Amino acid sequence: TTSTSTTFNVTVNAVNDAPTVANAPANVSEEGLPSGVPDTTGTPGDTTNSTTASGTITVADVDSAIASVTLTAPTAALTSGGQAVTWSGVGTQALTGTANGQTVATLTIDNSGAYNFTLLKPIDHPVAGAEDVRALNFGVVASDGTSAGAGTLTISVEDDAPAPITPITETLAIQSTNL
């Protein structure tokens, strides 16, 4: 038997995989603001009385180091005291939401995905007088310098409704003076 050997070349072209960003939730409450009324009621539920939320959103890249993590503002219209909230710092690691010259909220993030959100003023909720929740969806973009991946950090803001007023019942005696 004769044995034959063949040599051939294989070229492998590396492909850069984009970073991945996991979606993450966090909760804050207007009840922790200076004029807030802490309680345990709410729809769907009262989860916190804190105006701050901190944590880490997972950012990863299988073939490169993360070069930067940046934020995008919520796209849904938002108001505070009837005034539009505008976001500055889009595309950076620090967002500031303001309405009528007042800072309403701030969000920061670093390249490891560690974030800090602070609510400084109440936001307007769709249902007046009810303790409901308004979701703020912030975009989180991770880049390896060549490709980028995106996820969402959802900050749920629990509304603070005024404490219910106890009804006052009075009994009046009526005296007829019609003689």
Side-chain angles (χ1 to χ4, degrees):
T1 65
T2 306
S3 173
T4 311
S5 161
T6 304
T7 303
F8 61 94
N9 295 326
V10 175
T11 303
V12 177
N13 294 320
V15 175
N16 181 39
D17 290 323
T20 58
V21 180
N23 296 331
N27 300 312
V28 297
S29 177
E30 294 174 355
E31 294 174 0
L33 293 171
S35 60
V37 181
D39 61 30
T40 57
T41 60
T43 303
D46 192 336
T47 60
T48 185
N49 289 329
S50 179
T51 58
T52 62
S54 299
T56 302
I57 190 167
T58 303
V59 294
D61 194 328
V62 297
D63 60 4
S64 306
I66 300 293
S68 67
V69 176
T70 58
L71 299 166
T72 62
T75 56
L78 181 68
T79 57
S80 176
Q83 300 296 311
V85 175
T86 57
W87 296 94
S88 61
V90 172
T92 71
Q93 292 184 325
L95 285 176
T96 301
T98 58
N100 200 28
Q102 300 287 314
T103 301
V104 176
T106 61
L107 175 62
T108 61
I109 196 164
D110 66 19
N111 284 347
S112 71
Y115 66 85
N116 291 296
F117 178 85
T118 303
L119 181 68
L120 299 164
K121 299 282 183 196
I123 63 169
D124 298 336
H125 290 252
V127 180
E131 288 200 15
D132 58 355
V133 174
R134 177 93 189 255
L136 307 180
N137 295 311
F138 295 93
V140 178
V141 179
S143 172
D144 62 11
T146 303
S147 299
T152 302
L153 173 60
T154 301
I155 305 291
S156 295
V157 180
E158 180 195 346
D159 197 3
D160 181 32
I165 298 173
T166 305
I168 299 172
T169 305
E170 286 290 328
T171 304
L172 300 175
I174 299 175
Q175 184 174 20
S176 177
T177 57
N178 192 5
L179 300 175

